[in-house]
PDB file of all heavy atoms in Angstrom:
ATOM      1  N   ASN A 124      -9.043  -1.558  25.347  1.00 67.00           N
ATOM      2  CA  ASN A 124      -8.578  -1.753  23.979  1.00 67.00           C
ATOM      3  C   ASN A 124      -9.056  -3.070  23.380  1.00 67.00           C
ATOM      4  O   ASN A 124      -9.166  -3.206  22.168  1.00 67.00           O
ATOM      5  CB  ASN A 124      -7.044  -1.717  23.929  1.00 67.00           C
ATOM      6  CG  ASN A 124      -6.504  -0.314  24.123  1.00 67.00           C
ATOM      7  OD1 ASN A 124      -7.174   0.656  23.783  1.00 67.00           O
ATOM      8  ND2 ASN A 124      -5.315  -0.209  24.691  1.00 67.00           N
ATOM      9  N   PHE A 125      -9.295  -4.054  24.234  1.00 76.00           N
ATOM     10  CA  PHE A 125      -9.647  -5.368  23.725  1.00 76.00           C
ATOM     11  C   PHE A 125     -10.467  -6.119  24.765  1.00 76.00           C
ATOM     12  O   PHE A 125     -10.500  -5.777  25.938  1.00 76.00           O
ATOM     13  CB  PHE A 125      -8.386  -6.179  23.386  1.00 76.00           C
ATOM     14  CG  PHE A 125      -7.548  -6.513  24.607  1.00 76.00           C
ATOM     15  CD1 PHE A 125      -7.784  -7.667  25.337  1.00 76.00           C
ATOM     16  CD2 PHE A 125      -6.555  -5.651  25.029  1.00 76.00           C
ATOM     17  CE1 PHE A 125      -7.034  -7.962  26.461  1.00 76.00           C
ATOM     18  CE2 PHE A 125      -5.800  -5.942  26.160  1.00 76.00           C
ATOM     19  CZ  PHE A 125      -6.041  -7.100  26.878  1.00 76.00           C
ATOM     20  N   GLY A 126     -11.143  -7.151  24.280  1.00 86.00           N
ATOM     21  CA  GLY A 126     -11.873  -8.059  25.141  1.00 86.00           C
ATOM     22  C   GLY A 126     -11.760  -9.460  24.566  1.00 86.00           C
ATOM     23  O   GLY A 126     -10.954  -9.713  23.659  1.00 86.00           O
ATOM     24  N   LEU A 127     -12.585 -10.357  25.058  1.00 92.00           N
ATOM     25  CA  LEU A 127     -12.532 -11.743  24.617  1.00 92.00           C
ATOM     26  C   LEU A 127     -12.664 -11.875  23.102  1.00 92.00           C
ATOM     27  O   LEU A 127     -11.907 -12.607  22.460  1.00 92.00           O
ATOM     28  CB  LEU A 127     -13.647 -12.537  25.304  1.00 92.00           C
ATOM     29  CG  LEU A 127     -13.827 -13.977  24.827  1.00 92.00           C
ATOM     30  CD1 LEU A 127     -12.631 -14.829  25.222  1.00 92.00           C
ATOM     31  CD2 LEU A 127     -15.125 -14.572  25.367  1.00 92.00           C
ATOM     32  N   ILE A 128     -13.635 -11.155  22.505  1.00 90.00           N
ATOM     33  CA  ILE A 128     -13.884 -11.354  21.074  1.00 90.00           C
ATOM     34  C   ILE A 128     -12.717 -10.846  20.240  1.00 90.00           C
ATOM     35  O   ILE A 128     -12.330 -11.473  19.245  1.00 90.00           O
ATOM     36  CB  ILE A 128     -15.229 -10.710  20.639  1.00 90.00           C
ATOM     37  CG1 ILE A 128     -15.650 -11.207  19.263  1.00 90.00           C
ATOM     38  CG2 ILE A 128     -15.184  -9.194  20.713  1.00 90.00           C
ATOM     39  CD1 ILE A 128     -15.960 -12.676  19.202  1.00 90.00           C
ATOM     40  N   GLU A 129     -12.103  -9.725  20.647  1.00 87.00           N
ATOM     41  CA  GLU A 129     -10.927  -9.228  19.915  1.00 87.00           C
ATOM     42  C   GLU A 129      -9.756 -10.207  20.052  1.00 87.00           C
ATOM     43  O   GLU A 129      -8.999 -10.437  19.101  1.00 87.00           O
ATOM     44  CB  GLU A 129     -10.518  -7.849  20.424  1.00 87.00           C
ATOM     45  CG  GLU A 129     -11.465  -6.722  20.036  1.00 87.00           C
ATOM     46  CD  GLU A 129     -12.670  -6.593  20.952  1.00 87.00           C
ATOM     47  OE1 GLU A 129     -12.692  -7.261  22.015  1.00 87.00           O
ATOM     48  OE2 GLU A 129     -13.586  -5.824  20.614  1.00 87.00           O
ATOM     49  N   CYS A 130      -9.608 -10.787  21.242  1.00 88.00           N
ATOM     50  CA  CYS A 130      -8.551 -11.785  21.450  1.00 88.00           C
ATOM     51  C   CYS A 130      -8.754 -12.980  20.522  1.00 88.00           C
ATOM     52  O   CYS A 130      -7.817 -13.443  19.865  1.00 88.00           O
ATOM     53  CB  CYS A 130      -8.547 -12.261  22.895  1.00 88.00           C
ATOM     54  SG  CYS A 130      -8.016 -11.033  24.108  1.00 88.00           S
ATOM     55  N   LEU A 131      -9.983 -13.486  20.472  1.00 92.00           N
ATOM     56  CA  LEU A 131     -10.256 -14.654  19.635  1.00 92.00           C
ATOM     57  C   LEU A 131     -10.006 -14.357  18.166  1.00 92.00           C
ATOM     58  O   LEU A 131      -9.477 -15.201  17.429  1.00 92.00           O
ATOM     59  CB  LEU A 131     -11.703 -15.103  19.842  1.00 92.00           C
ATOM     60  CG  LEU A 131     -11.990 -15.870  21.134  1.00 92.00           C
ATOM     61  CD1 LEU A 131     -13.495 -16.044  21.327  1.00 92.00           C
ATOM     62  CD2 LEU A 131     -11.292 -17.231  21.130  1.00 92.00           C
ATOM     63  N   ARG A 132     -10.400 -13.156  17.722  1.00 89.00           N
ATOM     64  CA  ARG A 132     -10.202 -12.822  16.305  1.00 89.00           C
ATOM     65  C   ARG A 132      -8.729 -12.759  15.948  1.00 89.00           C
ATOM     66  O   ARG A 132      -8.346 -13.081  14.821  1.00 89.00           O
ATOM     67  CB  ARG A 132     -10.904 -11.502  15.986  1.00 89.00           C
ATOM     68  CG  ARG A 132     -12.431 -11.637  15.922  1.00 89.00           C
ATOM     69  CD  ARG A 132     -13.125 -10.298  15.896  1.00 89.00           C
ATOM     70  NE  ARG A 132     -14.578 -10.473  15.843  1.00 89.00           N
ATOM     71  CZ  ARG A 132     -15.450  -9.515  16.173  1.00 89.00           C
ATOM     72  NH1 ARG A 132     -15.004  -8.313  16.570  1.00 89.00           N
ATOM     73  NH2 ARG A 132     -16.745  -9.747  16.113  1.00 89.00           N
ATOM     74  N   GLN A 133      -7.873 -12.319  16.875  1.00 86.00           N
ATOM     75  CA  GLN A 133      -6.444 -12.306  16.593  1.00 86.00           C
ATOM     76  C   GLN A 133      -5.826 -13.688  16.715  1.00 86.00           C
ATOM     77  O   GLN A 133      -4.937 -14.057  15.958  1.00 86.00           O
ATOM     78  CB  GLN A 133      -5.724 -11.332  17.531  1.00 86.00           C
ATOM     79  CG  GLN A 133      -5.936  -9.878  17.144  1.00 86.00           C
ATOM     80  CD  GLN A 133      -4.891  -8.957  17.741  1.00 86.00           C
ATOM     81  OE1 GLN A 133      -3.742  -9.334  17.897  1.00 86.00           O
ATOM     82  NE2 GLN A 133      -5.295  -7.753  18.070  1.00 86.00           N
ATOM     83  N   LEU A 134      -6.304 -14.472  17.668  1.00 88.00           N
ATOM     84  CA  LEU A 134      -5.765 -15.812  17.859  1.00 88.00           C
ATOM     85  C   LEU A 134      -6.181 -16.761  16.743  1.00 88.00           C
ATOM     86  O   LEU A 134      -5.488 -17.738  16.468  1.00 88.00           O
ATOM     87  CB  LEU A 134      -6.247 -16.377  19.201  1.00 88.00           C
ATOM     88  CG  LEU A 134      -5.638 -15.766  20.460  1.00 88.00           C
ATOM     89  CD1 LEU A 134      -6.396 -16.240  21.693  1.00 88.00           C
ATOM     90  CD2 LEU A 134      -4.172 -16.136  20.570  1.00 88.00           C
ATOM     91  N   ARG A 135      -7.326 -16.480  16.103  1.00 88.00           N
ATOM     92  CA  ARG A 135      -7.874 -17.399  15.106  1.00 88.00           C
ATOM     93  C   ARG A 135      -8.163 -16.641  13.805  1.00 88.00           C
ATOM     94  O   ARG A 135      -9.324 -16.486  13.409  1.00 88.00           O
ATOM     95  CB  ARG A 135      -9.142 -18.055  15.649  1.00 88.00           C
ATOM     96  CG  ARG A 135      -8.922 -18.781  16.975  1.00 88.00           C
ATOM     97  CD  ARG A 135     -10.242 -19.239  17.571  1.00 88.00           C
ATOM     98  NE  ARG A 135     -10.835 -20.285  16.771  1.00 88.00           N
ATOM     99  CZ  ARG A 135     -10.663 -21.586  16.966  1.00 88.00           C
ATOM    100  NH1 ARG A 135      -9.896 -22.012  17.959  1.00 88.00           N
ATOM    101  NH2 ARG A 135     -11.246 -22.482  16.190  1.00 88.00           N
ATOM    102  N   PRO A 136      -7.128 -16.142  13.136  1.00 87.00           N
ATOM    103  CA  PRO A 136      -7.352 -15.358  11.912  1.00 87.00           C
ATOM    104  C   PRO A 136      -8.019 -16.163  10.799  1.00 87.00           C
ATOM    105  O   PRO A 136      -8.597 -15.592   9.876  1.00 87.00           O
ATOM    106  CB  PRO A 136      -5.945 -14.910  11.504  1.00 87.00           C
ATOM    107  CG  PRO A 136      -5.024 -15.884  12.165  1.00 87.00           C
ATOM    108  CD  PRO A 136      -5.696 -16.274  13.441  1.00 87.00           C
ATOM    109  N   GLN A 137      -7.968 -17.491  10.913  1.00 89.00           N
ATOM    110  CA  GLN A 137      -8.619 -18.327   9.905  1.00 89.00           C
ATOM    111  C   GLN A 137     -10.137 -18.266  10.011  1.00 89.00           C
ATOM    112  O   GLN A 137     -10.844 -18.625   9.053  1.00 89.00           O
ATOM    113  CB  GLN A 137      -8.141 -19.786  10.030  1.00 89.00           C
ATOM    114  CG  GLN A 137      -8.682 -20.554  11.226  1.00 89.00           C
ATOM    115  CD  GLN A 137      -7.903 -20.299  12.523  1.00 89.00           C
ATOM    116  OE1 GLN A 137      -7.101 -19.385  12.600  1.00 89.00           O
ATOM    117  NE2 GLN A 137      -8.137 -21.133  13.519  1.00 89.00           N
ATOM    118  N   ASP A 138     -10.648 -17.843  11.151  1.00 89.00           N
ATOM    119  CA  ASP A 138     -12.092 -17.717  11.335  1.00 89.00           C
ATOM    120  C   ASP A 138     -12.548 -16.375  10.773  1.00 89.00           C
ATOM    121  O   ASP A 138     -12.266 -15.325  11.361  1.00 89.00           O
ATOM    122  CB  ASP A 138     -12.464 -17.812  12.819  1.00 89.00           C
ATOM    123  CG  ASP A 138     -12.593 -19.236  13.295  1.00 89.00           C
ATOM    124  OD1 ASP A 138     -13.664 -19.823  13.085  1.00 89.00           O
ATOM    125  OD2 ASP A 138     -11.625 -19.764  13.866  1.00 89.00           O
ATOM    126  N   ARG A 139     -13.265 -16.382   9.680  1.00 85.00           N
ATOM    127  CA  ARG A 139     -13.691 -15.130   9.049  1.00 85.00           C
ATOM    128  C   ARG A 139     -14.899 -14.529   9.767  1.00 85.00           C
ATOM    129  O   ARG A 139     -15.229 -13.372   9.570  1.00 85.00           O
ATOM    130  CB  ARG A 139     -14.020 -15.376   7.574  1.00 85.00           C
ATOM    131  CG  ARG A 139     -12.815 -15.903   6.785  1.00 85.00           C
ATOM    132  CD  ARG A 139     -13.122 -16.010   5.314  1.00 85.00           C
ATOM    133  NE  ARG A 139     -13.383 -14.700   4.727  1.00 85.00           N
ATOM    134  CZ  ARG A 139     -13.728 -14.513   3.457  1.00 85.00           C
ATOM    135  NH1 ARG A 139     -13.840 -15.562   2.649  1.00 85.00           N
ATOM    136  NH2 ARG A 139     -13.961 -13.313   2.984  1.00 85.00           N
ATOM    137  N   TYR A 140     -15.566 -15.324  10.588  1.00 90.00           N
ATOM    138  CA  TYR A 140     -16.760 -14.840  11.290  1.00 90.00           C
ATOM    139  C   TYR A 140     -16.697 -15.328  12.733  1.00 90.00           C
ATOM    140  O   TYR A 140     -16.706 -16.528  13.006  1.00 90.00           O
ATOM    141  CB  TYR A 140     -18.013 -15.384  10.604  1.00 90.00           C
ATOM    142  CG  TYR A 140     -19.322 -14.866  11.195  1.00 90.00           C
ATOM    143  CD1 TYR A 140     -19.951 -13.747  10.669  1.00 90.00           C
ATOM    144  CD2 TYR A 140     -19.915 -15.517  12.273  1.00 90.00           C
ATOM    145  CE1 TYR A 140     -21.132 -13.275  11.211  1.00 90.00           C
ATOM    146  CE2 TYR A 140     -21.098 -15.049  12.826  1.00 90.00           C
ATOM    147  CZ  TYR A 140     -21.709 -13.932  12.289  1.00 90.00           C
ATOM    148  OH  TYR A 140     -22.888 -13.460  12.829  1.00 90.00           O
ATOM    149  N   LEU A 141     -16.620 -14.401  13.664  1.00 92.00           N
ATOM    150  CA  LEU A 141     -16.692 -14.712  15.090  1.00 92.00           C
ATOM    151  C   LEU A 141     -17.520 -13.622  15.757  1.00 92.00           C
ATOM    152  O   LEU A 141     -17.152 -12.441  15.702  1.00 92.00           O
ATOM    153  CB  LEU A 141     -15.296 -14.763  15.716  1.00 92.00           C
ATOM    154  CG  LEU A 141     -14.399 -15.958  15.399  1.00 92.00           C
ATOM    155  CD1 LEU A 141     -13.004 -15.745  15.970  1.00 92.00           C
ATOM    156  CD2 LEU A 141     -15.000 -17.257  15.941  1.00 92.00           C
TER     157      LEU A 141
END
Side-chain angles (χ1 to χ4, degrees):
N124 287 332
F125 66 89
L127 173 68
I128 194 65
E129 288 83 10
C130 291
L131 283 170
R132 286 168 180 161
Q133 284 199 34
L134 288 169
R135 304 172 68 93
Q137 73 277 13
D138 276 277
R139 300 186 64 183
Y140 184 93
L141 287 173

